[in-house]
Every structure is written in structure tokens, then in C-alpha cells.
Amino acid sequence: MQQQMPAPPDRTTVMAMIVRRLGWRLPGDSGIVPLYNLTVSQATQLQGVSTAEERLELLSAFVQEAQEMPTDGPTPPCPVTDLQRFQATLDRLWTAVRWENKNKETLWRLVVDGIPMPGNTHLSRVPIKPCECGSYGADTDQPCSPRLHHFWECPIAKAVREQIDRHLPLPTSATIEGCMTRQQLWLVQAPPGCEQAPWDVIALAALSSMEYGRHCLRAATREHRPQRPSTHGRQQQQPTHTAEQGPRQRAITDFFNRSGGFPPEEEEDANTHPIISTTQSTMDTPTQTAASPLDRARARTVADFWARLHSFAALGIPHYGWDQVGPQHPILAIVGTQMRCAVPVDITDHGAARTEQGL
């Protein structure tokens, strides 16, 4: 007698059997997450796989550039330990440094090459034009990247570097340009003579001020162009910022005053800079209207750098990480129950020297 074959399952039953066996393999995990057990966190992790890989590549390129690896030939892969160390540094800066996030944003974006600088062709709607300092972008063959120029080699960046170098103790008397390296600044690795906790703040302030100075140079160059006469036949007067003067207030305020004040678009933000009191009578030269745009931008950049450090010092001594910082620290010192910040030193290159002489 012929045995009757069972009827095939319907479509609903077949789909239920297949779906129960579907799932995803999470990155770094050999197991499979079934479809019905997938959580929102796991789904987000799956969607970010490509982004995480791209971010790791950008992070590796940044570390290599900070370590001054040659770019004219094949570049060896960045050691995993260097990447892990810098990733831990970023985590510490974001969570442990109690400071406004606006002071950390420049480094965060610099790591992924996400700052819209002239020459960054991978960013949309970024004009390709030379730097206003006149030493970068004049031809198509550039010896360095936009990131390297604007945050290390540009005169604006060098003005901030000079301030740090002239305060830090030099290793030998033969050292002229100071002991800070690009790796120490970009990767936030404390140089000799400076504890890590204050260096975190100094490096963040330096990079943020370099970005601020880049905009200052562009604004100063725009101001320097001949103005069009108004409808009444008179040139429009640019508003200037006059900081409150006191008998002991000199160092930072004079940087702004002798550089011609703030550009018009910075008027509103000018009041956010703290008033600094110091007994050092430096840079008492009155406002020089003949200073070049580069000189004025450099002075504003240096003033912004020190204003950031003084604003951090005004917050008081942090609870963690500053136990080893004493009164002898060259920039951010702990004296008793207060944090004291050093004062600026004169800008020493040709443009600043000319301004100091009143020429």
C-alpha cells in the first residue's frame, strides 16, 4: 500500500523557521546575535562599523603626522600601542579635564582632519586658496598638509609655540627653538619639566588659539583692504574694543590694544576674555595702527592663548591629577590654595619687534 507523503509547510511556517535562524555577528565577537534578540545598542554598533574603521584610519594618519614620519614614500602602519595610547589620551581629555568643551573641540576635529582649512579638498565647499600669511598655498605643489601648516608651521602657530617654548625649561643652553615637539603638542604628551595635568590644558589652549588665530588673520587681512567710501563720501569707521584699564593690568590687554583691537565680528565675544591683573609692566606701547595684518593677528592669537589659560586658572585647583604640581611650574603653578598662571612674553620675530619700537 502506497504511503501518503505529508503536505509541505505553508509559507508562514517556512518564514518563521528561517527568521529564527537569522542574526548578525558583532565586530570582535565570534557569536551570532539572533534577530529577535538584537538590542538598540547592538544595532547602533553594527551601523557604525564603517565609521569606526574610517575614524581609525584618520586617527592613525594623525598620529603618524604628529610623529613626523616621512610622507614621500610608503608609510609603515602606525603601531597599535601608539594608537591605543592616544585613544586613552582623548578619553582622558574629554572626561577628566573639567573645562568648557569649546576648548577641546579643535583637537577633536583636528584628529579626524575635519577642520575646514584652505586646501582640505576632502571637505565639501572649502575654497582652495593660499594662507594669508603668504608662505603657504601659492602654488599647487605643497611641501606639507594644510593641517601641518596651520597648526605648526604658520607664523600664527609659531607665535603660540614661542610662548610655550620660552616658558618651559630648556634641556641645554644650545637649544634655540625650545624643547616642545609636534608629537608633544598634537598628541598631548608632556615635555620635560611639565607635569601631564597642566600640559593637557596648555596643549588644548594652544591648538584652540591657533585655530582662533587663523580666523583672526583672515579678518585682519580683510580689514587691511581699502575701504569703499560710504554714501556720504566718508569712510566707514570700524568699531574697536577698548578693554578696561587698571594700574596693574598690562600683559594680555596690551596685546589686544597694540594690535588694533578686535575685528568687528569679534566685538560680541570680546567681553568674554577675562581681565588679567599682573605686576609685570610689559608691552606698554600705545596702539599701533600701522601694524601689518599678520602682526595684529599674531598678537591677538597670543593674547587669546593666555586668556584661555587664565580663565582655566580662575576655575580653581582641580580635584584630581594636580597633586604633583607645585609653585615652580613655569606656566600653571599651584601656590597655596590658588592656581596662578604665568604672563606673556614679548613676541620676538621681526614684525613684533617693529611694533615694539613704535615703527
Side-chain angles (χ1 to χ4, degrees), residues 151 160-161 164 180 185 201-211 301 305 308-309:
F151 289 88
V160 179
R161 290 168 48 196
I164 300 175
M180 182 180 65
L185 178 62
V201 178
I202 295 169
L204 290 174
L207 294 174
S208 298
S209 296
M210 290 175 185
E211 171 65 359
T301 302
F305 169 68
R308 292 177 191 270
L309 294 182

PDB file of all heavy atoms in Angstrom, residues 151 160-161 164 180 185 201-211 301 305 308-309:
ATOM      1  N   PHE A 151      48.713  74.443  11.958  1.00  0.00           N
ATOM      2  CA  PHE A 151      48.861  74.108  13.370  1.00  0.00           C
ATOM      3  C   PHE A 151      50.307  73.799  13.761  1.00  0.00           C
ATOM      4  O   PHE A 151      50.533  73.220  14.816  1.00  0.00           O
ATOM      5  CB  PHE A 151      47.948  72.934  13.731  1.00  0.00           C
ATOM      6  CG  PHE A 151      46.493  73.306  13.742  1.00  0.00           C
ATOM      7  CD1 PHE A 151      45.738  73.224  12.588  1.00  0.00           C
ATOM      8  CD2 PHE A 151      45.894  73.785  14.894  1.00  0.00           C
ATOM      9  CE1 PHE A 151      44.400  73.590  12.588  1.00  0.00           C
ATOM     10  CE2 PHE A 151      44.560  74.143  14.911  1.00  0.00           C
ATOM     11  CZ  PHE A 151      43.806  74.048  13.745  1.00  0.00           C
ATOM     12  N   VAL A 160      52.369  81.061  19.093  1.00  0.00           N
ATOM     13  CA  VAL A 160      51.939  80.340  20.290  1.00  0.00           C
ATOM     14  C   VAL A 160      53.030  79.389  20.751  1.00  0.00           C
ATOM     15  O   VAL A 160      53.322  79.283  21.953  1.00  0.00           O
ATOM     16  CB  VAL A 160      50.632  79.575  20.015  1.00  0.00           C
ATOM     17  CG1 VAL A 160      50.189  78.799  21.244  1.00  0.00           C
ATOM     18  CG2 VAL A 160      49.531  80.537  19.575  1.00  0.00           C
ATOM     19  N   ARG A 161      53.647  78.699  19.818  1.00  0.00           N
ATOM     20  CA  ARG A 161      54.733  77.783  20.182  1.00  0.00           C
ATOM     21  C   ARG A 161      55.861  78.522  20.883  1.00  0.00           C
ATOM     22  O   ARG A 161      56.456  78.016  21.846  1.00  0.00           O
ATOM     23  CB  ARG A 161      55.266  77.090  18.932  1.00  0.00           C
ATOM     24  CG  ARG A 161      54.322  76.069  18.302  1.00  0.00           C
ATOM     25  CD  ARG A 161      54.792  75.664  16.927  1.00  0.00           C
ATOM     26  NE  ARG A 161      56.222  75.329  16.933  1.00  0.00           N
ATOM     27  CZ  ARG A 161      56.960  75.244  15.824  1.00  0.00           C
ATOM     28  NH1 ARG A 161      56.414  75.478  14.643  1.00  0.00           N
ATOM     29  NH2 ARG A 161      58.231  74.928  15.909  1.00  0.00           N
ATOM     30  N   ILE A 164      55.149  79.120  24.556  1.00  0.00           N
ATOM     31  CA  ILE A 164      55.341  77.917  25.375  1.00  0.00           C
ATOM     32  C   ILE A 164      56.819  77.612  25.545  1.00  0.00           C
ATOM     33  O   ILE A 164      57.297  77.337  26.650  1.00  0.00           O
ATOM     34  CB  ILE A 164      54.599  76.725  24.747  1.00  0.00           C
ATOM     35  CG1 ILE A 164      53.099  77.018  24.649  1.00  0.00           C
ATOM     36  CG2 ILE A 164      54.842  75.450  25.545  1.00  0.00           C
ATOM     37  CD1 ILE A 164      52.307  75.944  23.930  1.00  0.00           C
ATOM     38  N   MET A 180      59.762  71.829  22.874  1.00  0.00           N
ATOM     39  CA  MET A 180      58.487  71.222  22.518  1.00  0.00           C
ATOM     40  C   MET A 180      58.543  70.678  21.093  1.00  0.00           C
ATOM     41  O   MET A 180      59.012  71.342  20.173  1.00  0.00           O
ATOM     42  CB  MET A 180      57.360  72.250  22.630  1.00  0.00           C
ATOM     43  CG  MET A 180      55.986  71.662  22.322  1.00  0.00           C
ATOM     44  SD  MET A 180      54.668  72.892  22.452  1.00  0.00           S
ATOM     45  CE  MET A 180      55.083  74.017  21.134  1.00  0.00           C
ATOM     46  N   LEU A 185      52.899  68.289  21.357  1.00  0.00           N
ATOM     47  CA  LEU A 185      51.747  69.182  21.287  1.00  0.00           C
ATOM     48  C   LEU A 185      50.523  68.474  20.735  1.00  0.00           C
ATOM     49  O   LEU A 185      49.458  68.481  21.360  1.00  0.00           O
ATOM     50  CB  LEU A 185      52.085  70.400  20.422  1.00  0.00           C
ATOM     51  CG  LEU A 185      50.940  71.396  20.223  1.00  0.00           C
ATOM     52  CD1 LEU A 185      50.508  72.002  21.548  1.00  0.00           C
ATOM     53  CD2 LEU A 185      51.338  72.486  19.237  1.00  0.00           C
ATOM     54  N   VAL A 201      45.967  71.022  29.627  1.00  0.00           N
ATOM     55  CA  VAL A 201      45.316  72.318  29.457  1.00  0.00           C
ATOM     56  C   VAL A 201      46.109  73.197  28.492  1.00  0.00           C
ATOM     57  O   VAL A 201      45.533  73.867  27.621  1.00  0.00           O
ATOM     58  CB  VAL A 201      45.165  73.015  30.827  1.00  0.00           C
ATOM     59  CG1 VAL A 201      44.527  74.386  30.673  1.00  0.00           C
ATOM     60  CG2 VAL A 201      44.348  72.145  31.771  1.00  0.00           C
ATOM     61  N   ILE A 202      47.423  73.199  28.615  1.00  0.00           N
ATOM     62  CA  ILE A 202      48.261  74.040  27.760  1.00  0.00           C
ATOM     63  C   ILE A 202      48.126  73.621  26.299  1.00  0.00           C
ATOM     64  O   ILE A 202      47.992  74.471  25.403  1.00  0.00           O
ATOM     65  CB  ILE A 202      49.728  73.960  28.220  1.00  0.00           C
ATOM     66  CG1 ILE A 202      49.872  74.557  29.623  1.00  0.00           C
ATOM     67  CG2 ILE A 202      50.648  74.670  27.237  1.00  0.00           C
ATOM     68  CD1 ILE A 202      51.218  74.279  30.268  1.00  0.00           C
ATOM     69  N   ALA A 203      48.160  72.318  26.032  1.00  0.00           N
ATOM     70  CA  ALA A 203      48.055  71.847  24.654  1.00  0.00           C
ATOM     71  C   ALA A 203      46.691  72.167  24.059  1.00  0.00           C
ATOM     72  O   ALA A 203      46.595  72.600  22.902  1.00  0.00           O
ATOM     73  CB  ALA A 203      48.324  70.339  24.600  1.00  0.00           C
ATOM     74  N   LEU A 204      45.633  71.958  24.826  1.00  0.00           N
ATOM     75  CA  LEU A 204      44.293  72.281  24.335  1.00  0.00           C
ATOM     76  C   LEU A 204      44.162  73.772  24.048  1.00  0.00           C
ATOM     77  O   LEU A 204      43.590  74.175  23.025  1.00  0.00           O
ATOM     78  CB  LEU A 204      43.242  71.843  25.358  1.00  0.00           C
ATOM     79  CG  LEU A 204      43.034  70.342  25.540  1.00  0.00           C
ATOM     80  CD1 LEU A 204      42.067  70.071  26.685  1.00  0.00           C
ATOM     81  CD2 LEU A 204      42.514  69.704  24.249  1.00  0.00           C
ATOM     82  N   ALA A 205      44.685  74.597  24.948  1.00  0.00           N
ATOM     83  CA  ALA A 205      44.615  76.044  24.742  1.00  0.00           C
ATOM     84  C   ALA A 205      45.438  76.458  23.526  1.00  0.00           C
ATOM     85  O   ALA A 205      45.015  77.335  22.751  1.00  0.00           O
ATOM     86  CB  ALA A 205      45.102  76.770  25.990  1.00  0.00           C
ATOM     87  N   ALA A 206      46.598  75.856  23.330  1.00  0.00           N
ATOM     88  CA  ALA A 206      47.455  76.218  22.206  1.00  0.00           C
ATOM     89  C   ALA A 206      46.784  75.902  20.875  1.00  0.00           C
ATOM     90  O   ALA A 206      46.752  76.745  19.967  1.00  0.00           O
ATOM     91  CB  ALA A 206      48.795  75.485  22.323  1.00  0.00           C
ATOM     92  N   LEU A 207      46.243  74.706  20.725  1.00  0.00           N
ATOM     93  CA  LEU A 207      45.605  74.321  19.469  1.00  0.00           C
ATOM     94  C   LEU A 207      44.360  75.162  19.213  1.00  0.00           C
ATOM     95  O   LEU A 207      44.108  75.582  18.074  1.00  0.00           O
ATOM     96  CB  LEU A 207      45.257  72.834  19.500  1.00  0.00           C
ATOM     97  CG  LEU A 207      46.457  71.877  19.538  1.00  0.00           C
ATOM     98  CD1 LEU A 207      45.983  70.433  19.717  1.00  0.00           C
ATOM     99  CD2 LEU A 207      47.294  72.000  18.268  1.00  0.00           C
ATOM    100  N   SER A 208      43.583  75.430  20.256  1.00  0.00           N
ATOM    101  CA  SER A 208      42.387  76.252  20.085  1.00  0.00           C
ATOM    102  C   SER A 208      42.758  77.675  19.677  1.00  0.00           C
ATOM    103  O   SER A 208      42.080  78.287  18.836  1.00  0.00           O
ATOM    104  CB  SER A 208      41.567  76.268  21.376  1.00  0.00           C
ATOM    105  OG  SER A 208      41.115  74.968  21.719  1.00  0.00           O
ATOM    106  N   SER A 209      43.825  78.218  20.243  1.00  0.00           N
ATOM    107  CA  SER A 209      44.243  79.566  19.890  1.00  0.00           C
ATOM    108  C   SER A 209      44.807  79.628  18.474  1.00  0.00           C
ATOM    109  O   SER A 209      44.658  80.640  17.785  1.00  0.00           O
ATOM    110  CB  SER A 209      45.286  80.063  20.892  1.00  0.00           C
ATOM    111  OG  SER A 209      44.721  80.169  22.180  1.00  0.00           O
ATOM    112  N   MET A 210      45.474  78.574  18.029  1.00  0.00           N
ATOM    113  CA  MET A 210      45.952  78.539  16.646  1.00  0.00           C
ATOM    114  C   MET A 210      44.788  78.595  15.672  1.00  0.00           C
ATOM    115  O   MET A 210      44.861  79.280  14.636  1.00  0.00           O
ATOM    116  CB  MET A 210      46.785  77.279  16.416  1.00  0.00           C
ATOM    117  CG  MET A 210      48.123  77.269  17.132  1.00  0.00           C
ATOM    118  SD  MET A 210      48.997  75.695  16.928  1.00  0.00           S
ATOM    119  CE  MET A 210      50.426  75.959  17.995  1.00  0.00           C
ATOM    120  N   GLU A 211      43.724  77.891  15.985  1.00  0.00           N
ATOM    121  CA  GLU A 211      42.534  77.949  15.125  1.00  0.00           C
ATOM    122  C   GLU A 211      41.888  79.326  15.195  1.00  0.00           C
ATOM    123  O   GLU A 211      41.455  79.880  14.176  1.00  0.00           O
ATOM    124  CB  GLU A 211      41.550  76.857  15.549  1.00  0.00           C
ATOM    125  CG  GLU A 211      40.171  76.922  14.898  1.00  0.00           C
ATOM    126  CD  GLU A 211      40.201  76.687  13.403  1.00  0.00           C
ATOM    127  OE1 GLU A 211      41.293  76.478  12.822  1.00  0.00           O
ATOM    128  OE2 GLU A 211      39.114  76.730  12.787  1.00  0.00           O
ATOM    129  N   THR A 301      46.353  86.281  18.653  1.00  0.00           N
ATOM    130  CA  THR A 301      46.431  84.844  18.914  1.00  0.00           C
ATOM    131  C   THR A 301      47.119  84.567  20.243  1.00  0.00           C
ATOM    132  O   THR A 301      46.658  83.748  21.049  1.00  0.00           O
ATOM    133  CB  THR A 301      47.186  84.150  17.773  1.00  0.00           C
ATOM    134  OG1 THR A 301      46.526  84.411  16.535  1.00  0.00           O
ATOM    135  CG2 THR A 301      47.246  82.646  18.007  1.00  0.00           C
ATOM    136  N   PHE A 305      45.541  82.868  23.638  1.00  0.00           N
ATOM    137  CA  PHE A 305      46.144  81.711  24.305  1.00  0.00           C
ATOM    138  C   PHE A 305      46.250  81.942  25.805  1.00  0.00           C
ATOM    139  O   PHE A 305      45.849  81.098  26.619  1.00  0.00           O
ATOM    140  CB  PHE A 305      47.521  81.445  23.686  1.00  0.00           C
ATOM    141  CG  PHE A 305      48.356  80.446  24.449  1.00  0.00           C
ATOM    142  CD1 PHE A 305      47.994  79.106  24.511  1.00  0.00           C
ATOM    143  CD2 PHE A 305      49.503  80.853  25.109  1.00  0.00           C
ATOM    144  CE1 PHE A 305      48.763  78.192  25.213  1.00  0.00           C
ATOM    145  CE2 PHE A 305      50.281  79.948  25.809  1.00  0.00           C
ATOM    146  CZ  PHE A 305      49.908  78.619  25.866  1.00  0.00           C
ATOM    147  N   ARG A 308      42.859  82.071  27.638  1.00  0.00           N
ATOM    148  CA  ARG A 308      42.310  80.742  27.914  1.00  0.00           C
ATOM    149  C   ARG A 308      42.946  80.139  29.167  1.00  0.00           C
ATOM    150  O   ARG A 308      42.253  79.555  30.012  1.00  0.00           O
ATOM    151  CB  ARG A 308      42.522  79.823  26.713  1.00  0.00           C
ATOM    152  CG  ARG A 308      41.706  80.185  25.482  1.00  0.00           C
ATOM    153  CD  ARG A 308      42.023  79.264  24.306  1.00  0.00           C
ATOM    154  NE  ARG A 308      41.449  79.756  23.074  1.00  0.00           N
ATOM    155  CZ  ARG A 308      40.227  79.447  22.632  1.00  0.00           C
ATOM    156  NH1 ARG A 308      39.475  78.628  23.337  1.00  0.00           N
ATOM    157  NH2 ARG A 308      39.780  79.942  21.498  1.00  0.00           N
ATOM    158  N   LEU A 309      44.266  80.268  29.276  1.00  0.00           N
ATOM    159  CA  LEU A 309      44.942  79.707  30.445  1.00  0.00           C
ATOM    160  C   LEU A 309      44.521  80.427  31.725  1.00  0.00           C
ATOM    161  O   LEU A 309      44.306  79.788  32.764  1.00  0.00           O
ATOM    162  CB  LEU A 309      46.454  79.795  30.267  1.00  0.00           C
ATOM    163  CG  LEU A 309      47.061  78.936  29.150  1.00  0.00           C
ATOM    164  CD1 LEU A 309      48.578  79.096  29.126  1.00  0.00           C
ATOM    165  CD2 LEU A 309      46.688  77.469  29.318  1.00  0.00           C
TER     166      LEU A 309
END
